[in-house]
Amino acid sequence: MDASHRGRYSDFDARAGGGGGKSNLTIEPSGSDGHRGFAAESRGSGGSGGKRSLTGSRSIYSLDVDLLCTIFSLLDHFDLVRCSVVCKAWYHVVYTSSLMRDLYEKRNSCIKLTAKSLPLEISTKLYLGELAMEEHKLSFRRASAKVDQWNGHHTRVNICRMKRGVVLSGVGDKIVGLTNSKLCIWRRHGQRGIFQSHEGVFTRGLCMSYIDPEAVIGCEDGRVRVFDMYSGKCSRIFRVHSGPVTCLALTDDQLIIGGSTFGNIAVVDLTSGERLAFARSNYCPTGLKTLSYNMNSHLLFAGSTSGYAHCWDIRTMRSVWETRVSPNVIYTVHHLSIDTSTLAVGGLDGVLRILDQRTGEILSSLVMDDAAISIKSANDNQKVSEKKARSLPQNACLYNVPRSLRPPITCLSVGMKKIVTTHNEKFIRIWRFQDNI
């Protein structure tokens, strides 16, 4: 729970203590269950100056459950989840109180609770998740964003990931890299790699994807090589396409999905190498550059060299939609792992586009505005420039937008109401979407 909420509850305890004197509040452990309670030191106005400990008798944990439900129902769903991890007592109030659920559903009447037949704890978690995803979707649709930009590296950055709100741009605990004919894994700050595959093990690797402990390399000869990232050995080789494999996606079901320069996709079993399904783009020739698979909807999204965004249903291998969203090559597509509504797309023209996952409709198109709102200092050597994002109309002429405001987007990663982008430059950008700016 953040400091503002702690302060709010502290004020509540101070008023509950009564008297007109001055109160100083501290947090102390109270009880053998490990709960941290609020203890007050009160100085009466009568001049005695004595201290009276109110720990236990005036602890916030002594509040009635109904009163806690009333307080928690005033919080947004993100703060409510944060409160649930403070202690077991609050966890049970948030997730297992029918009063809490009813109050919260009444406050957020726009989203109805649809899983009432499930156990209370599970249905409440699903409901809070639905509220979060609805807010995420609406923030992307409104296209109101601020952009933080800073120099992340001394050299050009062309790849990024986001994990639990942390931006990774080649500086994780373990870095998996691909050169033309080598797979390399380094440790952070390490001068020596964990391993480097031998030269000539594969013919010009074009793309790579991995799920620990295996890395899969797509090669120019149409094959994929599967490496064990700990032993450094190539364990399996499968043929996926007759032409070069240009992009890969791995699924939790042990499937490899590979795209080719001819606009085809193939689904291969990671264990046996058997090719299970095959599909192609209706717009040929159009080489595929990037893939993103949604495990919740079983939809596969792709970006191509001709500026088309594609969507296939992996269960039927049928095309759902194909839309030309850019006049140039699309380098990257991505979505929040649990989101089934929006898709972020970036490419050579430098415009960040938000698409509807179900229809391919362009919901918003964004570039960064030129004027800086403020300059913040992350530390003595790091300056963060904050700017506004500018929404482009559907028929906007990109040639009227300076290239400095829309450098090519080489990679993007989607988080909750935010997107991080790299541009093959030293700087990194985070687009923070808000309801109102």
Side-chain angles (χ1 to χ4, degrees), residues 34-52:
H35 290 168
R36 297 179 65 85
F38 284 82
E41 295 177 355
S42 176
R43 295 182 183 273
S45 58
S48 63
K51 295 183 179 181
R52 181 180 57 184

Side-chain angles (χ1 to χ4, degrees), residues 1-251:
M1 186 171 62
D2 60 10
S4 62
H5 293 137
R6 286 199 297 268
R8 191 177 306 163
Y9 296 137
S10 299
D11 292 341
F12 178 86
D13 258 359
R15 291 194 297 271
K22 179 181 178 181
S23 296
N24 299 317
L25 281 84
T26 58
I27 301 176
E28 297 177 356
S30 59
S32 59
D33 58 355
H35 290 168
R36 297 179 65 85
F38 284 82
E41 295 177 355
S42 176
R43 295 182 183 273
S45 58
S48 63
K51 295 183 179 181
R52 181 180 57 184
S53 176
L54 299 181
T55 305
S57 61
R58 294 300 182 186
S59 167
I60 197 169
Y61 296 101
S62 66
L63 294 180
D64 184 78
V65 171
D66 291 352
L67 183 55
L68 278 175
C69 289
T70 303
I71 295 172
F72 286 161
S73 67
L74 301 176
L75 304 178
D76 69 28
H77 36 278
F78 294 106
D79 288 333
L80 187 63
V81 172
R82 294 186 184 102
C83 287
S84 71
V85 300
V86 170
C87 64
K88 290 182 179 180
W90 285 13
Y91 177 92
H92 289 298
V93 170
V94 171
Y95 291 124
T96 65
S97 169
S98 57
L99 174 61
M100 176 68 217
R101 186 189 65 180
D102 294 342
L103 288 173
Y104 216 73
E105 185 181 10
K106 183 177 181 180
R107 178 194 169 192
N108 300 277
S109 56
C110 58
I111 303 293
K112 294 298 182 182
L113 186 62
T114 58
K116 289 188 176 181
S117 60
L118 296 175
L120 184 60
E121 181 178 351
I122 297 176
S123 64
T124 302
K125 288 182 178 180
L126 290 174
Y127 182 61
L128 294 178
E130 290 174 3
L131 289 174
M133 291 314 305
E134 182 67 17
E135 185 173 331
H136 172 80
K137 179 180 68 175
L138 291 177
S139 68
F140 275 17
R141 285 179 176 269
R142 293 189 181 103
S144 294
K146 291 181 180 179
V147 185
D148 290 341
Q149 176 177 304
W150 72 96
N151 287 341
H153 293 270
H154 297 296
T155 58
R156 296 173 184 264
V157 185
N158 60 10
I159 192 168
C160 60
R161 295 288 185 269
M162 191 180 298
K163 184 78 169 178
R164 298 182 181 273
V166 177
V167 177
L168 311 175
S169 57
V171 292
D173 289 330
K174 186 183 298 178
I175 307 164
V176 181
L178 175 68
T179 65
N180 280 344
S181 58
K182 277 188 177 183
L183 174 69
C184 308
I185 302 180
W186 300 271
R187 293 195 186 278
R188 186 177 60 177
H189 306 311
Q191 297 298 321
R192 299 181 61 184
I194 300 174
F195 87 86
Q196 294 188 22
S197 63
H198 297 294
E199 288 280 0
V201 173
F202 51 88
T203 306
R204 197 179 176 216
L206 301 179
C207 57
M208 185 264 303
S209 185
Y210 67 94
I211 297 180
D212 202 3
E214 292 182 315
V216 181
I217 311 298
C219 302
E220 194 174 43
D221 61 0
R223 293 181 172 88
V224 297
R225 272 79 174 173
V226 182
F227 283 83
D228 185 284
M229 294 197 296
Y230 296 95
S231 67
K233 295 180 179 179
C234 179
S235 59
R236 299 180 293 281
I237 301 177
F238 308 135
R239 175 169 288 281
V240 178
H241 290 290
S242 58
V245 180
T246 53
C247 49
L248 287 169
L250 303 182
T251 76

Side-chain angles (χ1 to χ4, degrees), residues 335-354:
H335 55 83
L336 198 63
S337 60
I338 56 175
D339 182 19
T340 58
S341 58
T342 56
L343 176 73
V345 176
L348 183 62
D349 63 4
V351 179
L352 177 61
R353 293 180 175 86
I354 307 297

Side-chain angles (χ1 to χ4, degrees), residues 280-327:
R280 65 178 303 164
S281 166
N282 295 325
Y283 298 91
C284 188
T286 176
L288 300 181
K289 292 291 290 182
T290 179
L291 295 176
S292 182
Y293 177 63
N294 191 321
M295 290 180 288
N296 292 290
S297 62
H298 303 286
L299 297 180
L300 176 71
F301 305 100
S304 70
T305 55
S306 57
Y308 277 88
H310 308 263
C311 176
W312 290 274
D313 190 325
I314 292 301
R315 294 166 295 186
T316 62
M317 293 307 292
R318 292 182 179 178
S319 176
V320 179
W321 51 261
E322 293 181 288
T323 306
R324 193 173 193 191
V325 300
S326 171

